[in-house]
Amino acid sequence: MIVRFGYVAMSTVIKDCSPSKTMTMTSFKKLDDREAALRRLENIARMNLHNTLRLMKHNIASDIFVYRLTSKLIPLATHPDLQDWNPFIALAEEFAEVGQFVKKHGMRVSFHPDHFTVLSTPRPEVLVSSVRDLQHHTDMLDAMGLPAMAKNNIHIGGAYGDKPVAAKRFEEHFRELPAAMQARITLENDDKTFTAPETLSVCQNVGLPMVLDIHHQWVNNEGELPWELWPDIQQTWQSELAQKDVPSGVLLPPKIHVSSPRSPSDPRSHADGVEPAPLVAFLKRIAADTPAVDVMIEAKHKDGALFGLMEAMKELADAGNGISLLNGASVNIEP
């Protein structure tokens, strides 16, 4: 089984390369000239996209082909007071350049809209805001010229006192989304509300691919073992939505998230790095029936955590544990 590792947004190795520089609405309103303020926002976004391209060049030099883009590329893009602003015209060249690099190198990129994007909400105004945020993320991927295999990963959302009803509400709201937006979405189990089996059920009902977060599953489960769910989770990646725009004869590999608990007293928070043993145990359990899987590392040290994990993988490979290194960020796992 081929396993590719990726990381989230920021680098702890490349200095002065933040793709998430921003401006607060308070600072924006202090500027008397609104047009000049909008140009300033566009310039910040331009720098964020420039730094994103720098990070991607760093990634390719390190054999990292899986990467999560920051949602903060364009400051204040979805603020209600700026709905008349279209930044994509001014930033068309920069977005296109990032997208061209992604396509040239065959990278797998994604977004993860924040926890305020909830389709299970019973409140109309929250739903409107959530759909607006999903549309913004879809617009960014479209501006990069990327096909639907570049996804937006979200959670189901809150339970609002009745989890089954909330799950059904998610399904109803999802079905009302534009088809282009639906094709961009993956769904992940969370660490407090919707377990992996519950998330899987929703995915099966609406045809969405499921991203299994094995840390979330460990702290929020129904007694199941993660590899027991894997055959059904893997099947969700065969759906029409999962494989939309994927070249003929090629399957987009399933994706999982991995992180380690910060401490026994704070098991939900993420540690700086990744403890390899639980991850390897899971990967070995699924290796026999899984040709390939992509692993997003959600550790505090970002790419530094990835490089640390690869050092651990090298030690395991040297010890003859059925692991072989393929390059700087990929391994082969034998069952």
Side-chain angles (χ1 to χ4, degrees):
M1 177 177 70
I2 296 173
V3 183
R4 300 189 302 179
F5 296 104
Y7 69 99
V8 176
M10 306 284 287
S11 173
T12 58
V13 175
I14 305 298
K15 303 304 179 185
D16 301 318
C17 196
S18 172
S20 302
K21 294 177 181 178
T22 190
M23 176 193 289
T24 65
M25 197 63 196
T26 300
S27 297
F28 180 89
K29 289 181 176 179
K30 287 180 180 179
L31 299 175
D32 294 331
D33 187 331
R34 190 175 189 272
E35 286 303 312
L38 290 175
R39 301 295 83 77
R40 185 170 176 182
L41 286 178
E42 290 166 1
N43 284 334
I44 295 173
R46 196 168 283 112
M47 179 56 70
N48 286 341
L49 287 162
H50 172 73
N51 284 343
T52 296
L53 193 59
R54 286 179 61 200
L55 288 175
M56 288 185 169
K57 291 177 179 178
H58 156 65
N59 293 347
I60 295 305
S62 304
D63 302 317
I64 300 169
F65 291 89
V66 181
Y67 176 68
R68 182 188 300 167
L69 297 153
T70 175
S71 293
K72 299 178 181 178
L73 288 174
I74 308 177
L76 304 178
T78 59
H79 196 282
D81 293 346
L82 295 179
Q83 292 310 294
D84 61 332
W85 172 46
N86 180 4
F88 291 100
I89 298 173
L91 299 170
E93 183 178 340
E94 287 77 12
F95 270 105
E97 189 175 14
V98 170
Q100 288 163 5
F101 190 88
V102 169
K103 288 183 286 187
K104 177 182 177 181
H105 294 281
M107 299 181 71
R108 183 178 190 173
V109 298
S110 60
F111 282 113
H112 195 338
D114 68 28
H115 62 282
F116 296 112
T117 302
V118 286
L119 296 183
S120 65
T121 180
R123 297 170 56 190
E125 69 277 13
V126 174
L127 179 61
V128 168
S129 176
S130 298
V131 173
R132 182 169 62 233
D133 194 51
L134 281 171
Q135 184 64 61
H136 172 62
H137 284 82
T138 299
D139 289 344
M140 287 193 287
L141 293 170
D142 287 345
M144 294 177 192
L146 298 178
M149 57 193 294
K151 305 291 188 183
N152 295 316
N153 184 60
I154 60 174
H155 300 286
I156 294 175
Y160 305 100
D162 193 324
K163 204 188 297 188
V165 169
K168 289 299 180 186
R169 194 161 49 235
F170 174 96
E171 294 175 13
E172 293 168 5
H173 291 160
F174 172 80
R175 291 189 178 101
E176 293 170 355
L177 296 176
M181 196 182 298
Q182 291 181 356
R184 294 277 193 193
I185 293 176
T186 58
L187 197 56
E188 174 193 354
N189 55 303
D190 67 71
D191 61 345
K192 292 184 178 179
T193 308
F194 285 94
T195 65
E198 291 165 340
T199 305
L200 175 59
S201 177
V202 171
C203 286
Q204 292 169 327
N205 289 343
V206 297
L208 274 177
M210 178 176 166
V211 174
L212 174 65
D213 189 307
I214 58 177
H215 182 178
H216 290 172
Q217 191 275 337
W218 177 66
V219 297
N220 180 30
N221 62 73
E222 300 173 12
E224 77 285 348
L225 295 171
W227 47 82
E228 293 173 343
L229 300 173
W230 185 251
D232 287 334
I233 292 174
Q234 188 175 12
Q235 187 62 37
T236 67
W237 287 91
Q238 309 301 315
S239 73
E240 181 179 348
L241 288 176
Q243 299 297 329
K244 184 173 175 57
D245 290 344
V246 177
S248 178
V250 177
L251 287 178
L252 185 65
K255 183 192 282 186
I256 68 169
H257 290 176
V258 64
S259 53
S260 297
R262 178 181 294 174
S263 68
S265 61
D266 188 11
R268 285 185 166 84
S269 296
H270 296 177
D272 291 342
V274 175
E275 172 60 41
L279 172 61
V280 170
F282 173 78
L283 293 174
K284 280 189 167 292
R285 288 278 189 167
I286 69 170
D289 300 310
T290 308
V293 66
D294 289 336
V295 179
M296 182 62 68
I297 295 171
E298 296 186 316
K300 295 296 184 183
H301 280 179
K302 309 293 184 178
D303 52 344
L306 187 158
F307 296 136
L309 179 61
M310 286 304 297
E311 285 296 321
M313 289 292 181
K314 184 178 185 302
E315 292 180 6
L316 291 171
D318 290 343
N321 284 281
I323 298 173
S324 55
L325 271 61
L326 300 177
N327 55 41
S330 302
V331 298
N332 187 68
I333 302 280
E334 300 293 338

